[in-house]
Amino acid sequence: MTPSRPVLIENCAVVTMDGPGAAGAEYADGHVLLVGGRIAAVGPGRCDASLVPEGVERVDGSGCVATPGLVNTHHHLYQWLTRGLAVDSTLFEWLTTLYPVWAGIDADDVRTAALGGLSHLALGGCTTTTDHHYVVPADAGDVFAAEIEAAAAVGLRFHPTRGSMDLGRRDGGLPPDSVVETTDAILAGTADVIDRFHDPASDSMCRIAVAPCSPFSVTSELMRTSAELARERGVRLHTHLAETDDEEVFCRERFGSTPMEYMESVGWVGPDVWFAHSIHLDDAAIAAMAAGGMSAAHCPVSNCRVGAGIARVPAMLAAGIPVGLGVDGSASNESGVLWEEMHTGLLLARGVGGPRAMDVRTALRMATVGGATALGRDGEIGRLAPGYLADVALWRLDAPTHTAIDDPVAALVLGSRPPMAGVWVQGRRVVDSDRVVTVDAEAVSRDVVAARRRLLAKAG
């Protein structure tokens, strides 16, 4: 990758997320220096002139707050084409409505959807995102290469997961048989994606994880063998867990256990595992997650959209479980903006537990450090500190909507969504003045509309 030009962001508030306290060191007027794809300096006031390279691009951050780029820990990018459907359905009703539509996707659809979803994530301050792609029709083409190409075009750091389903309706699962694969095909396909795309380097722009879809769409054999494969290859594990009460009933009837007990029985225990949603967890399940070192991807907007429930996030955090945030699929979260997860997650925690159930800095920490930990990248992203990767979000707080709020973190988390002055990934600018500069957003929007029409027509 071509080295980026040095960038000095100055005259702005800086929230580092590094050091003691939920937000670490904070500077009312500070700077962040980006050199060679990493953070070279961060601190109060003006940057030491001896550290500033020749040819640096100076960015005046007056009226802004700089934070680490946000980290999205759960998504389904292909769903960008199927927003606005089954809007009043439960999760299982929503899935059974949309599975027949998704069965028609191909690599071109996935690329188009990913360009749309990733661009929108960037406009909400996101610099790193995962994706859980588990619909792999036999004639779809190389869907994983398609979304990885899209991420490279937009410029986001990408953690796609090779998802899978091998438990169709004829065998007691939820998905139609037309969208499931054989276990052998899944394992071979997963190994192939890891071999082609996984980069374990500390500045990696693409890392792969292994991600069977959910307890109600995969077999126990696939869960066990997927965990074995992931650990042989040194990659992480991801799946949906405890998203609805229906899943609890399914696991008790089919496996004689709770969802968390089932995960333990198939070897999904360890700090290389992160679970999406994790809503319906009792005290024993939370204790098991904490003891096993697993992380959670909290998706409050999607959870509310499908009426799935409210995760016990304060209890998870109190137990020491790393909690990140996720927008989830765009068909169950039509906005697809990670800032909204931070905002909504805070409000839901307080709505259930009172005003001290979560503070604004803890909400921001979930969106940054929590996400980095869930993806195995704490020490690389999620903080503004020397040596960390140069992933930065610069939020405008000088509009009338925010100027009367003295605390920049309160303004960011509790106020309305701020415009983005800039977003940098690996030191390269992706967003400038609330506009994605790496792709043609209008062309992407036109392509999304056309692809959606074709997909819906194909499904009848």
Side-chain angles (χ1 to χ4, degrees):
M1 186 175 288
T2 311
S4 55
R5 179 184 177 187
V7 176
L8 177 59
I9 306 167
E10 50 192 347
N11 308 320
C12 58
V14 179
V15 181
T16 68
M17 309 309 299
D18 188 53
E26 300 182 44
Y27 310 113
D29 180 15
H31 64 271
V32 184
L33 177 63
L34 315 179
V35 179
R38 292 187 180 270
I39 297 171
V42 57
R46 309 288 292 180
C47 185
D48 184 336
S50 68
L51 300 176
V52 181
E54 291 186 10
V56 70
E57 177 188 358
R58 291 182 177 270
V59 176
D60 184 2
S62 298
C64 300
V65 60
T67 71
L70 306 189
V71 180
N72 179 32
T73 59
H74 187 63
H75 207 341
H76 308 293
L77 284 165
Y78 73 91
Q79 294 180 14
W80 193 255
L81 302 183
T82 56
R83 290 171 292 160
L85 303 176
V87 296
D88 299 317
S89 299
T90 66
L91 175 67
F92 277 26
E93 292 167 346
W94 175 87
L95 284 169
T96 53
T97 299
L98 287 167
Y99 271 140
V101 180
W102 297 336
I105 63 169
D106 59 25
D108 288 337
D109 294 328
V110 170
R111 183 182 296 103
T112 298
L115 286 169
L118 291 163
S119 299
H120 210 60
L121 280 171
L123 288 172
C126 179
T127 54
T128 298
T129 182
T130 187
D131 186 55
H132 188 182
H133 189 96
Y134 55 84
V135 180
V136 189
D139 57 351
D142 197 341
V143 294
F144 297 100
E147 65 171 359
I148 289 168
E149 290 166 7
V154 176
L156 294 196
R157 202 175 299 280
F158 199 32
H159 281 238
T161 71
R162 206 300 183 177
S164 55
M165 299 186 291
D166 70 340
L167 186 66
R169 285 182 185 167
R170 67 169 170 257
D171 297 317
L174 189 66
D177 296 322
S178 62
V179 298
V180 301
E181 304 171 89
T182 66
T183 305
D184 288 344
I186 290 166
L187 294 172
T190 303
D192 174 64
V193 170
I194 295 169
D195 290 342
R196 285 191 291 152
F197 300 114
H198 181 67
D199 178 6
S202 63
D203 62 350
S204 172
M205 290 293 290
C206 184
R207 289 187 185 170
I208 306 299
V210 179
C213 184
S214 64
F216 50 81
S217 59
V218 304
T219 61
S220 298
E221 179 189 2
L222 180 60
M223 293 299 294
R224 291 191 188 94
T225 52
S226 292
E228 292 168 0
L229 175 63
R231 285 161 180 154
E232 287 171 4
R233 299 301 183 93
V235 301
R236 298 179 75 76
L237 285 162
H238 182 54
T239 193
H240 298 89
L241 187 73
E243 187 173 358
T244 66
D245 287 325
D246 290 335
E247 182 181 324
E248 175 91 11
V249 172
F250 180 91
C251 286
R252 287 192 179 278
E253 291 180 350
R254 192 173 184 91
F255 310 120
S257 63
T258 66
M260 182 57 68
E261 290 167 344
Y262 174 61
M263 288 294 109
E264 292 176 303
S265 75
V266 291
W268 280 59
V269 176
D272 56 350
V273 176
W274 87 101
F275 295 127
H277 301 291
S278 306
I279 299 171
H280 299 280
L281 299 180
D282 59 16
D283 290 346
I286 289 175
M289 274 189 74
M294 292 85 89
S295 302
H298 179 37
C299 307
V301 173
S302 173
N303 294 347
C304 289
R305 199 275 206 190
V306 298
I310 300 173
R312 298 174 61 197
V313 172
M316 290 188 217
L317 293 172
I321 296 171
V323 179
L325 296 175
V327 299
D328 200 12
S330 306
S332 65
N333 178 358
E334 278 70 10
S335 66
V337 176
L338 194 58
W339 172 88
E340 292 187 2
E341 307 303 325
M342 181 169 59
H343 177 82
T344 305
L346 173 73
L347 297 182
L348 286 178
R350 291 184 174 193
V352 172
R356 285 181 287 279
M358 182 179 294
D359 61 58
V360 293
R361 284 161 175 79
T362 297
L364 179 57
R365 190 172 187 82
M366 288 195 298
T368 52
V369 177
T373 303
L375 298 187
R377 301 201 71 162
D378 192 17
E380 299 171 0
I381 61 174
R383 305 172 197 257
L384 300 181
Y388 276 68
L389 296 173
D391 296 0
V392 182
L394 187 65
W395 313 79
R396 295 221 71 92
L397 297 180
D398 54 0
T401 50
H402 296 91
T403 50
I405 306 175
D406 295 331
D407 179 350
V409 181
L412 173 62
V413 176
L414 287 174
S416 57
R417 176 185 166 193
M420 298 306 310
V423 172
W424 291 262
V425 181
Q426 200 95 333
R428 293 175 179 81
R429 193 155 196 162
V430 175
V431 173
D432 185 1
S433 302
D434 231 18
R435 181 176 63 89
V436 176
V437 296
T438 49
V439 296
D440 183 338
E442 292 184 1
V444 169
S445 182
R446 290 194 298 269
D447 290 344
V448 165
V449 171
R452 173 188 169 87
R453 288 173 178 166
R454 288 194 303 270
L455 187 61
L456 292 181
K458 191 186 298 185

